[in-house]
Amino acid sequence: MTAAQSGAIPAVMPTYRRIDIAFEKGDGVYLYGVDGRRYLDFACGIAVTAFGHCHPYLVKALETQAKKAWHVSNLHRIPEGETLAKRLVEASFADTVFFTNSGTEAIEGTIKLVRKYQSAVGHPERYRLITFEGAFHGRSMAALAAGGQEKYLEGFGPRVEGFDQVPATATLKEVEAAITPETAGVLIEPIQGEGGIRAFTPEFLRGLRALCDKHGLLLAMDEIQTGMGRSGKLFAHEWTGVTPDVMAVAKALGNGYPIGAFMATANAAQGMTPGTHGSTYGGNPLATAVGNAVLDLMLAPGFLDGVQQVASHLRQQLAMLVDRNSDIFEEVRGQGLLLGLKCRLPNGDVAAAFRQAGLLTAMAGDNVVRLLPPLIIEAQHINEATDLIEKACAELRKASKPEAPRKAG
Ligand SMILES: *Cc1c(COP(=O)(O)O)cnc(C)c1O
């Protein structure tokens, strides 16, 4: 009898503490549990399903391509991928794009590109990246080393060399002091997602840009969570007036069909010549057909303006909600529809109460509950969400009877 058959270990490797809910189907902003309950989905599979579930336009794009060709390998040209790359280039600072299957692979490629650039411009000794505490860049060995979180690195042996971490609160002077003759670049999330929706200021990012230029380093951004409309602009760095040299995206790029990308300027990508990088699946016709359909929706005139409007409405409602429930929440933070509620109670308890009330959210570091609603929410869904949160707060209060009296008014 195997361990799985004896029940010693589940057949699905137990690396997640899974919530005991399974979903039967999704429709727009809602998910339907096999238990017959309906949930308002403000988690979006962790910032992935930006257009909700089973968006008819995306379903049609996927079905149409599924009847043509799914996969042909990168040994041949892929017109759908060429189109998607061109459109991403036109919509961004970048000149060139490599498609991956996940965010982690996009980060891995970003790191490789930065190192290869330095080697191509005659500085092979420069291979180290400066990263920030609280960052999350993925789960490959290099991405873990870049993120630097002990709880994820523990037990996995020697960490990949070449990352120097500075505090998220580091000043530009402190970042500059961390630059050595071996430094190749700086890697940063404009807003730390898993780290608790913690934004770097535009001034800081502008300063980083200047530091990189001064020292011949590349500025790399991880926009896997912040990108693809989540912040109210296509990419969050657009709010800051700073562009990176290379950027990783993924999550909402395929609305749930696995696809990521790293995108760079021609200068930054000069080392990425034939044979230097590859992927069997990356950018296959099915993934890039879906990516194109996502861009059709996201780049439609006025769409992102609408996201900004609905986001500011949600933000206002949440700010009032935090005021009314200041025994449970400390503040609301974030940008666009990448929002966090900093909690006074354990965030796991808060997220569980939300779920019990019928609202799905995602936890983050710094005792934050993340609200990552679909970009297609409307005023009625905001009302519904705030009602569910109020309901959850009442339940939390009943359960915990906190010492602090509820603030009047
Ligand atoms: C989700 C995420 C990743 C990892 O992406 P995967 O698709 O899970 O590999 C990396 N960086 C950030 C900022 C993320 O949010």
Side-chain angles (χ1 to χ4, degrees):
M1 202 164 61
T2 67
Q5 285 160 350
S6 72
I9 190 166
V12 175
M13 201 176 285
T15 64
Y16 279 91
R17 246 176 250 105
R18 287 171 197 273
I19 298 154
D20 189 18
I21 300 178
F23 302 106
E24 190 174 12
K25 62 177 175 145
D27 182 13
V29 302
Y30 297 106
L31 274 173
Y32 296 84
V34 292
D35 56 1
R37 287 195 67 190
R38 185 180 87 164
Y39 296 89
L40 181 60
D41 184 7
F42 271 31
C44 279
I46 318 186
V48 170
T49 51
F51 292 97
H53 300 280
C54 301
H55 191 292
Y57 185 78
L58 300 180
V59 170
K60 181 143 187 288
L62 185 119
E63 280 179 353
T64 304
Q65 187 61 42
K67 288 173 190 154
K68 291 185 186 169
W70 298 12
H71 177 84
V72 295
S73 92
N74 284 300
L75 303 178
H76 312 276
R77 289 182 53 189
I78 300 175
E80 296 80 7
E82 291 175 11
T83 302
L84 182 58
K86 254 190 221 122
R87 296 174 75 189
L88 287 170
V89 162
E90 271 162 25
S92 74
F93 71 93
D95 300 311
T96 186
V97 180
F98 183 100
F99 292 115
T100 67
N101 312 291
S102 68
T104 301
E105 287 167 84
I107 284 296
E108 194 79 21
T110 296
I111 295 165
K112 285 181 71 176
L113 180 145
V114 171
R115 290 185 175 191
K116 196 72 172 176
Y117 164 82
Q118 295 293 1
S119 154
V121 298
H123 287 293
E125 77 285 1
R126 295 185 181 170
Y127 68 99
R128 307 188 69 85
L129 272 90
I130 293 173
T131 63
F132 293 84
E133 282 173 18
F136 181 79
H137 295 302
R139 300 283 201 142
S140 68
M141 295 304 290
L144 283 178
Q149 299 210 30
E150 293 302 326
K151 63 178 176 184
Y152 296 144
L153 283 156
E154 208 256 302
F156 290 108
R159 68 189 60 184
V160 172
E161 245 276 287
F163 300 93
D164 298 309
Q165 215 162 34
V166 296
T169 53
T171 61
L172 289 166
K173 268 217 178 69
E174 286 164 338
V175 176
E176 190 163 27
I179 297 172
T180 72
E182 293 182 337
T183 303
V186 177
L187 172 62
I188 190 166
E189 297 161 84
I191 304 168
Q192 290 188 340
E194 307 294 317
I197 316 293
R198 295 190 300 181
F200 292 92
T201 65
E203 299 73 51
F204 184 76
L205 292 170
R206 281 197 286 272
L208 274 189
R209 175 73 273 175
L211 274 186
C212 287
D213 294 343
K214 178 175 163 196
H215 293 275
L217 314 180
L218 292 189
L219 178 59
M221 286 192 189
D222 180 343
E223 289 238 27
I224 291 168
Q225 187 157 161
T226 54
M228 301 316 296
R230 181 57 46 196
S231 77
K233 293 205 184 270
L234 190 58
F235 304 112
H237 68 256
E238 293 171 31
W239 290 106
T240 69
V242 168
T243 56
D245 299 294
V246 53
M247 167 175 77
V249 297
K251 291 204 161 88
L253 179 56
N255 204 74
Y257 193 94
I259 178 170
F262 58 99
M263 341 193 341
T265 63
N267 178 52
Q270 63 184 278
M272 304 305 282
T273 52
T276 53
H277 197 53
S279 167
T280 297
Y281 294 137
N284 80 13
L286 201 48
T288 49
V290 174
N292 275 309
V294 166
L295 279 195
D296 289 345
L297 298 174
M298 201 169 281
L299 298 179
F303 177 75
L304 289 173
D305 292 336
V307 170
Q308 288 174 30
Q309 274 166 25
V310 86
S312 79
H313 179 178
L314 174 58
R315 177 73 178 240
Q316 277 166 11
Q317 294 302 309
L318 290 175
M320 295 191 310
L321 201 139
V322 166
D323 272 354
R324 287 196 300 272
N325 299 280
S326 58
D327 54 333
I328 293 173
F329 305 118
E330 202 173 309
E331 63 165 353
V332 54
R333 48 165 89 153
Q335 178 127 43
L337 291 174
L338 178 62
L339 293 167
L341 286 169
K342 165 104 171 146
C343 301
R344 294 190 196 278
L345 305 179
N347 59 350
D349 295 352
V350 175
F354 286 1
R355 192 165 59 243
Q356 203 48 46
L359 177 71
L360 300 177
T361 56
M363 288 193 285
D366 202 25
N367 205 33
V368 162
V369 171
R370 262 178 300 176
L371 302 182
L372 306 163
L375 305 186
I376 54 168
I377 50 164
E378 295 170 8
Q380 78 208 60
H381 306 123
I382 293 178
N383 293 341
E384 189 180 342
T386 47
D387 286 351
L388 294 175
I389 293 174
E390 287 288 2
K391 203 168 130 196
C393 286
E395 290 300 321
L396 280 166
R397 219 166 266 123
K398 254 195 253 167
S400 74
K401 298 199 179 62
E403 301 295 299
R406 194 177 169 200
K407 191 168 127 188

